[in-house]
Amino acid sequence: MATILLIFEKLDPDEVVFRAHDTFFNDNVEFPHFAQETLNSFNANGSPQGSLSLKVNCIIMLLRNLNTEQGLCNGTRLKVTRLTPSKIQALIMGGDHDQEQTVIPKITLQSTDGGFVFKRKQFPVRDSS
């Protein structure tokens, strides 16, 4: 019983876990027999994680160019100010747009290898705290 209490003490109630929605295709035919948990475990270089744990005030890094004119480029660091299921509100850290408020939406990213297509809908960020 004491072990269970120690585990619960370590859980962060402010942390929000976002799970990606993944699909896997071959010749435009979806493979429905893969469980989301299995697909979420695949992580390609430069793509967001299938399971992303974030909390307000954490520092994240953008993985894609979303709007270069507004300073939302690959590698931009942001400080999370609000989390919702469909968007992250954050402050840009550094550069010409330092301290500007912005919104990061979930986007669908696609990779192709040998005729297989893998699509992941997730926030294009990673935790860099």
Side-chain angles (χ1 to χ4, degrees):
M1 186 68 165
T3 304
I4 293 173
L5 291 175
L6 288 173
I7 291 171
F8 281 116
E9 286 175 7
K10 293 185 184 271
L11 293 177
D12 189 341
D14 298 326
E15 188 173 66
V16 180
V17 178
F18 298 98
R19 304 225 186 276
H21 177 73
D22 298 327
T23 50
F24 189 62
F25 297 85
N26 185 14
D27 296 327
N28 292 324
V29 176
E30 184 177 351
F31 287 92
H33 58 277
F34 287 111
Q36 279 298 306
E37 295 82 24
T38 302
L39 292 173
N40 284 173
S41 69
F42 295 124
N43 288 315
N45 264 350
S47 71
Q49 298 172 328
S51 179
L52 186 61
S53 299
L54 300 174
K55 57 184 165 180
V56 172
N57 293 322
C58 76
I59 307 301
I60 56 176
M61 185 174 73
L62 200 56
L63 298 175
R64 292 286 186 273
N65 291 339
L66 294 181
N67 188 330
T68 55
E69 291 178 6
Q70 291 182 356
L72 298 177
C73 307
N74 183 15
T76 299
R77 290 170 41 101
L78 305 133
K79 182 177 180 181
V80 175
T81 57
R82 185 167 182 237
L83 296 165
T84 71
S86 61
K87 64 185 175 188
I88 297 172
Q89 291 181 349
L91 290 175
I92 298 173
M93 298 179 63
D96 294 340
H97 299 276
D98 189 38
Q99 299 301 307
E100 285 184 18
Q101 189 75 241
T102 191
V103 175
I104 307 298
K106 280 188 176 182
I107 63 172
T108 300
L109 301 155
Q110 178 176 308
S111 63
T112 305
D113 187 19
F116 292 96
V117 177
F118 181 74
K119 292 184 180 182
R120 169 165 287 163
K121 186 169 185 175
Q122 179 64 291
F123 294 111
V125 301
R126 72 173 175 88
D127 183 4
S128 71
S129 301

